[in-house]
Amino acid sequence: MSSAPWRLQRSERIAGYAFIIPITVLFALFVGWPILKAVYLGFTTWSGFGAPHFTGFANYVRMWNDPVAQQAFGTTILYAVVTTVLQTAIPLFIAVLLANVWKGLSTVIRTLLFIPGIVSFVVSGVLWKLIYDPNLGTLNKALKSIGLGSLATNWLANPATALPAIMVVSLWGAIGANMLIYFAGIQGVDPTYYEAAEIDGAGSWQKFRYVTVPSLRVVTAIVLSLNLMNGFKAFDLIFVMTGGGPAHATEVFGTYLYSLAFGSTAGSIPQLGYGSAFSVIVMLLCGVAVLVQVVLSRRAQR
């Protein structure tokens, strides 16, 4: 009789392994192995033809001395930080307004803001590239129609405005999803906290600062890490809109990696080894984003 529970637990373990093993094998084949392969290629010189030639840390030394790589690294960090701040703070502010001020229009506004989030960045990039067009774009036409024609410019061809213009598109695409995450989090805040704050004479700003923000620390950690990770691995939006130009003003690790791997920067000679080294750096940066989430989540749960 005493062995029956053991047999039941054993059968449950077997069933559990039966569910886990297939996905583990698939993950190892299609995710784990490519990551290990990329790490290995980062220590080689390889054009995609023949056998890779092991060169140790030569690619990373070259990366350190590569002026375009240095610029791409700085642009990547700048892009990730700015978009993370904007795509965290603005959705939070909108979610608070929807939950407390614009309740009657909450469903409509949430739907309108979420629509850009279901559009791929490739489609968004093409759309906004037309909006930014210096001759036919609606942005310059709108500025001229309200007497601000002096502000009209070739937004994506001007090194001073190209990156900010792309950041606007990134915010446009991310604001809806992040707002919904915050909105759902606000619904889970205990109303008695707000009632206690009102009894203590707290106004709207005090309730936001001392009740809403602390109650959403775990949610904020998730949003921060997602935005940071998306910023570090940015590629499709920038590639479609500027390709990393003008004059590398919007070059990030993702676009430079692509140009290296597919030969557009070396006379059509692919540099898959050097490009793989960049992919390893991007992976490490994404790991930093995950670490940020873990640290912030643990602090929020204390």
Side-chain angles (χ1 to χ4, degrees), residues 3 27 32 94 110 178 185:
S3 61
F27 181 86
I94 294 176
R110 277 184 289 154
N178 292 338

Side-chain angles (χ1 to χ4, degrees), residues 224-237:
L224 274 173
S225 62
L226 290 176
N227 288 331
L228 198 58
M229 190 179 303
N230 289 332
F232 286 146
K233 62 185 183 70
F235 168 73
D236 45 5
L237 182 62

